[in-house]
Amino acid sequence: MLVDRTSYSWAYAEDIPGSRCGPEDGPWPRSYQVLDEPNLWRELRLLAKPHSITFDDKRAWRADSINFQPSPDTKTQDRYIVTQLDILGHLGDVTVEHVAYHLPIIIRDFMRKELSNNPSAFSSPAHVAHLFSRSILAFDDAIANDVLELFGGLEGLDDFSDIEIRNIINDQHSGGANWKKARLCMYGTTALVALVDPNHENLWVANLGDCQANLISLDDAGEWIVERLSTEHNGDNDAEVERVRRAHPNEPECVIDRRVLGALAPFRCLGDIPFKQPPAFTRRILYNLFPGFHNTSPWEEFLLRNHTPPYITAQPEVTHRRLNGLPRGPRFLVLSSDGFADLCSGEGQQQILSSWAQSMVDRPFEARKATADTSHEGPDNMALRLLRRALGGDDRYSVSRVLTLDMDVAWIDDTAIVVQTL
């Protein structure tokens, strides 16, 4: 939904932040509509859908979040979920939706089970990190195993004809449970998950892929410290490339052009089962999944290189920080998809995050109080203010360009941001 606007201007490819569009996406310049301040915030809210959840009102512990894609014809594939776990009591929307809903439940159940068996388990941050990692691995293992169980395991596929396999997995006429399980295997998603204990003394961050976690705090000198708590697991990370090559020493094509088997950009993710199972899984099961494949050649191109799977892993990189060891003062945890890093590529994340944190502290109490009744879904939403800072901050022309560019396809990457006060 667009608001009424009366002022127009022109933008060139180099005026748009990030790397999604370039000179080849012309003709340039393209028009955009310049918004005044009230309409700019209104449009930003409509497009970013800000949300907020309060954990402890007295101690001002809350999490604000947004999911942003300004192109009206593009559905964002980023997802986030912010929840309080009651422990005591790219690529395809399918896998993304499944992970967003089920992964927090799996993590919670792992923690609950461990606590019932070992009440002192949570006294060790290292043990919690281990449980965190195990729960994510178990979640990913179930994606393929739920399908393989239909056939008695991978070896059992030899006992079924293609027609029999089609009849088993294409069960839409009886609810589609098997079809949904198999469909999950076709796609994948990166993931970034953070755990904070009830007293905010410990923080754990588990990362798979190219999302980013940053811990922002004031040092004793009053300077903002931005600490990266995650590592990008893609071809730009030499350590990840070397890890895969070491695991497949006699396979020069395990990584081609810094992509797994020459096809996949992330080296760690959930799902993407064709890169974790032998080719028979894809050829016998996924190729028989309704509505079928009109062209399997792109799949065969990397399946022919698949000799000793798995080539990617769901083993997360877990980072722990003791929050009670940090200097007292405002602290923010910022979780973001790779779209946010793309928006910050010009000025740099360090500068953007530091100046945003300072603006949140400097914001007059009266202004914060005036917007508190809106459940932090307006200008007081921390994630929304961070998004605006990355888009151009006080420069209405820069922000308006991203919000209203006249272009038929997406001109920036999907961007999800979660900000939690610690």
Side-chain angles (χ1 to χ4, degrees), residues 166-182:
R166 289 191 200 106
N167 289 336
I168 291 172
I169 62 176
N170 296 308
D171 62 341
Q172 296 90 324
H173 61 283
S174 58
N178 295 341
W179 180 78
K180 292 175 183 176
K181 291 176 183 177

Side-chain angles (χ1 to χ4, degrees), residues 111-319:
M111 298 294 179
R112 279 181 175 174
K113 183 177 180 180
E114 184 68 14
L115 185 62
S116 64
N117 294 333
N118 181 11
S120 63
F122 294 106
S123 62
S124 168
H127 188 62
V128 174
H130 177 64
L131 285 174
F132 201 5
S133 179
R134 279 179 50 206
S135 65
I136 292 173
L137 281 168
F139 173 85
D140 186 71
D141 288 343
I143 294 176
N145 290 340
D146 284 351
V147 176
L148 289 173
E149 286 176 357
L150 300 173
F151 308 100
L154 188 66
E155 299 78 8
L157 287 173
D158 293 337
D159 299 328
F160 294 82
S161 67
D162 282 348
I163 292 176
E164 289 172 325
I165 290 175
R166 289 191 200 106
N167 289 336
I168 291 172
I169 62 176
N170 296 308
D171 62 341
Q172 296 90 324
H173 61 283
S174 58
N178 295 341
W179 180 78
K180 292 175 183 176
K181 291 176 183 177
R183 194 164 174 242
L184 281 175
C185 298
M186 295 177 61
Y187 309 104
T189 181
T190 60
L192 181 65
V193 189
L195 283 178
V196 182
D197 66 10
N199 293 323
H200 282 217
E201 295 176 348
N202 294 278
L203 164 68
W204 297 266
V205 173
N207 179 48
L208 289 163
D210 53 9
C211 296
Q212 296 182 358
N214 287 285
L215 178 61
I216 308 168
S217 59
L218 277 174
D219 64 14
D220 293 332
E223 298 293 328
W224 288 103
I225 304 298
V226 178
E227 181 187 7
R228 177 72 60 82
L229 300 181
S230 59
T231 302
E232 294 184 3
H233 303 133
N234 55 30
D236 294 331
N237 185 336
D238 290 339
E240 284 295 288
V241 174
E242 182 58 28
R243 177 182 61 79
V244 174
R245 285 182 171 153
R246 282 198 310 269
H248 307 276
N250 299 316
E251 300 178 46
E253 293 186 321
C254 65
V255 179
I256 301 176
D257 295 330
R258 293 188 173 269
R259 287 178 173 263
V260 180
L261 299 182
L264 192 65
F267 281 54
R268 304 191 194 197
C269 61
L270 299 169
D272 277 323
I273 304 304
F275 295 85
K276 296 174 179 175
Q277 291 286 336
F281 184 98
T282 301
R283 290 169 176 154
R284 298 297 316 281
I285 298 175
L286 299 186
Y287 282 5
N288 282 310
L289 190 65
F290 180 84
F293 291 78
H294 297 295
N295 180 15
T296 60
S297 58
W299 293 69
E300 285 299 319
E301 190 172 338
F302 74 81
L303 287 178
L304 290 173
R305 303 178 182 128
N306 181 342
H307 304 297
T308 57
Y311 291 87
I312 59 174
T313 180
Q315 175 74 54
E317 190 171 30
V318 181
T319 301

Side-chain angles (χ1 to χ4, degrees), residues 25-69:
D25 297 305
W28 299 97
R30 291 179 176 273
S31 66
Y32 71 93
Q33 298 166 306
V34 183
L35 306 176
D36 59 22
E37 196 66 20
N39 281 331
L40 189 149
W41 276 115
R42 179 185 174 190
E43 191 78 353
L44 200 57
R45 287 196 301 271
L46 286 171
L47 293 171
K49 304 174 183 63
H51 180 71
S52 183
I53 180 172
T54 299
F55 298 117
D56 189 320
D57 197 36
K58 291 183 179 179
R59 289 183 280 191
W61 288 346
R62 81 172 201 259
D64 293 351
S65 49
I66 60 95
N67 200 351
F68 178 66
Q69 173 50 256

